[in-house]
Amino acid sequence: MNSGTLILLFIVYYAPCASAGEKHDAPETSGLQIGVVHNGSIYSTDLSLWVYQAQLSIKAPRVCRIGPWNATGHVSESIDFPPRWKFLDDLLVSVNANPMEGMSDNGHHSVGFHTYGIPLSKIDRRLAIVTNLRDPKGGGRIAHVDEYEFDDCVLYAKSNNILNAIFSQLCTFINDRDNVLTQNHPFSNYEFFYDLLAAKSGGCNYVIIASASLQEEIEGLRKESAANPVKGKKPLAADYSGDWKTGKEPLKPMLGFWHLDERGQWALVDKVKNPCFNERFHVFPTGTAYYFVTDSGKVYLSKKPDKGERTIEEVWIDKKRPINGAITDTASGKTFLFGAELIDSPKPFYFELSEKPQLCPFERRPLIDKSLPRSLDISLSYAKVLLADKKIKIEPRPEPKLDPKP
């Protein structure tokens, strides 16, 4: 799915980037609501592991929570990091952060991150079996939220996830620096932020902000291991040495793009040494360019020049008008950003990601419906604005075959 194209806003700011060592604390909860319109439904999520789904065509839609089967305890809900998720390769793919999971008394973490994909065909078949249990015209308000667990998820890089490899070493460094035995900081204090992208070879890549020195150390050892293999020993996929911890330079953030190659090794394939921001973000690719929307409502653009290193610049830095929502339409590949002025009489607006966007105001109205989960209602309300303005349309839903499993 193409997530978006070039972002140039009605008012464009090109201010100097923040220094690489400057800290920008992430908010306790996400201020940016992400929604995806797919096959006539809207999808969204909050701090939980589950993804909400509701229909756009009826007044009071049936609401479903979709997630992996977690009865074994291998996958559990995020503590303080909203999942990063996308539709990739006909899968609903989500990255779930739970760094406290698997922590022993000595502070060791086993696996704190899980990337899983649920086939969309299985979701459609499972939901089809209860389609007629509610009024198809949506005459009444929802009574409850239906929950559906899927025990046949696709797990990406289950035993060797670069997120775990980098985070565990950052955690060790910071805990040593702060003289603590276990991870007792909020997750955001570790300054580790990420999103996922589709990989050309299938699966997904990761975009990570973390220590520049650590990421380069991992990649250097990977290359050395691949160039000088030891007989009977598998090349390093992601590892580190203790040398980086003794360096005099502080751990400056670097925006790294990681890819799992054909030999099963994680490769740092691209990077931005000065990412300008150090907070949670969502990435929207177009060609060789990447556009980042942060949870605080800022927008950045990273280009790949013909020669030299990738650059990044500020595109939208307006504290009075932060971006607070994004809706992607999978049918058209278009993405729309939403925002409002933070004054007594907010003036909401949205625009399409494009080289020549137009700022579109829309009617101020309450967005919160207490019968819906808040995150879903915000995305649903924004999607209905786009439908009313004919920016997107509801595609006919295919007739799915019923899933024999209840």
Side-chain angles (χ1 to χ4, degrees):
M1 178 187 72
N2 295 324
S3 297
T5 51
L6 180 61
I7 304 175
L8 291 176
L9 306 185
F10 185 73
I11 299 178
V12 183
Y13 292 81
Y14 290 99
C17 291
S19 64
E22 182 179 350
K23 180 179 177 180
H24 302 281
D25 289 334
E28 288 299 319
T29 58
S30 173
L32 179 68
Q33 187 59 57
I34 300 296
V36 176
V37 175
H38 179 73
N39 280 349
S41 296
I42 182 73
Y43 293 77
S44 71
T45 191
D46 48 26
L47 289 178
S48 77
L49 173 62
W50 300 75
V51 175
Y52 293 110
Q53 184 250 35
Q55 299 77 31
L56 287 167
S57 59
I58 55 180
K59 183 177 180 181
R62 175 172 52 87
V63 178
C64 303
R65 295 177 75 215
I66 300 165
W69 182 62
N70 60 4
T72 62
H74 292 304
V75 181
S76 55
E77 294 192 18
S78 301
I79 295 175
D80 68 345
F81 199 103
R84 267 34 187 170
W85 57 280
K86 288 181 172 66
F87 289 108
L88 306 176
D89 300 326
D90 296 321
L91 297 171
L92 172 58
V93 181
S94 180
V95 183
N96 180 61
N98 192 351
M100 295 294 288
E101 182 179 340
M103 187 176 69
S104 62
D105 292 338
N106 63 5
H108 172 71
H109 296 263
S110 57
V111 178
F113 300 87
H114 296 275
T115 303
Y116 65 89
I118 303 176
L120 294 177
S121 59
K122 293 183 179 295
I123 294 175
D124 288 340
R125 287 198 297 268
R126 187 74 61 83
L127 298 183
I129 200 169
V130 293
T131 297
N132 296 324
L133 296 182
R134 301 289 178 86
D135 179 4
K137 295 182 180 180
R141 302 173 73 83
I142 66 169
H144 65 280
V145 177
D146 297 319
E147 296 185 355
Y148 298 93
E149 291 184 340
F150 292 81
D151 58 1
D152 47 3
C153 301
V154 177
L155 289 175
Y156 285 115
K158 180 178 179 180
S159 61
N160 191 18
N161 195 314
I162 194 65
L163 295 173
N164 291 300
I166 293 180
F167 178 79
S168 64
Q169 309 316 323
L170 281 176
C171 188
T172 298
F173 175 85
I174 294 173
N175 287 346
D176 289 346
R177 180 194 67 190
D178 296 346
N179 194 28
V180 296
L181 297 178
T182 60
Q183 182 194 345
N184 60 356
H185 294 298
F187 176 70
S188 59
N189 281 23
Y190 289 92
E191 300 183 27
F192 181 80
F193 312 109
Y194 60 88
D195 199 2
L196 70 160
L197 291 170
K200 292 182 179 179
S201 57
C204 63
N205 294 335
Y206 296 99
V207 186
I208 302 171
I209 290 183
S211 160
S213 58
L214 176 58
Q215 292 193 65
E216 291 173 343
E217 183 77 28
I218 289 176
E219 177 61 4
L221 287 176
R222 187 199 71 82
K223 288 182 177 179
E224 180 181 349
S225 173
N228 302 289
V230 177
K231 187 176 181 180
K233 184 177 180 181
K234 186 178 180 180
L236 292 173
D239 206 343
Y240 83 107
S241 73
D243 297 338
W244 67 274
K245 294 198 294 185
T246 62
K248 295 182 180 180
E249 292 295 321
L251 286 174
K252 297 180 179 179
M254 178 177 74
L255 193 62
F257 299 78
W258 291 85
H259 172 67
L260 187 65
D261 64 22
E262 62 279 359
R263 292 177 294 182
Q265 298 188 59
W266 286 103
L268 183 63
V269 295
D270 209 346
K271 59 187 177 181
V272 179
K273 288 189 174 180
N274 182 4
C276 293
F277 60 94
N278 193 29
E279 61 174 304
R280 298 169 182 165
F281 64 90
H282 293 267
V283 58
F284 300 91
T286 174
T288 61
Y290 296 97
Y291 306 92
F292 300 91
V293 182
T294 71
D295 276 13
S296 64
K298 302 172 184 176
V299 182
Y300 299 85
L301 164 63
S302 177
K303 295 180 180 178
K304 182 71 172 178
D306 294 335
K307 295 182 180 180
E309 295 182 344
R310 180 177 288 276
T311 62
I312 192 167
E313 57 192 4
E314 296 174 350
V315 175
W316 180 267
I317 308 296
D318 191 340
K319 293 182 179 180
K320 293 183 178 180
R321 299 194 300 171
I323 302 302
N324 56 30
I327 299 293
T328 296
D329 177 35
T330 62
S332 63
K334 296 178 180 180
T335 295
F336 300 84
L337 297 185
F338 289 77
E341 293 185 5
L342 299 181
I343 56 178
D344 292 338
S345 299
K347 300 176 181 179
F349 62 90
Y350 72 89
F351 54 86
E352 179 186 345
L353 301 184
S354 66
E355 294 189 14
K356 297 180 180 181
Q358 288 184 322
L359 199 67
C360 302
F362 61 95
E363 288 293 327
R364 178 187 177 187
R365 58 176 177 171
L367 293 178
I368 303 301
D369 182 340
K370 293 183 179 180
S371 67
L372 293 173
R374 181 178 183 276
S375 61
L376 178 61
D377 186 64
I378 293 173
S379 294
L380 181 62
S381 299
Y382 285 158
K384 288 186 175 181
V385 168
L386 298 176
L387 286 169
D389 289 354
K390 299 182 179 180
K391 300 296 184 180
I392 63 174
K393 61 181 180 180
I394 299 177
E395 297 292 333
R397 290 179 60 86
E399 292 294 333
K401 296 180 180 179
L402 294 182
D403 192 338
K405 298 174 62 176

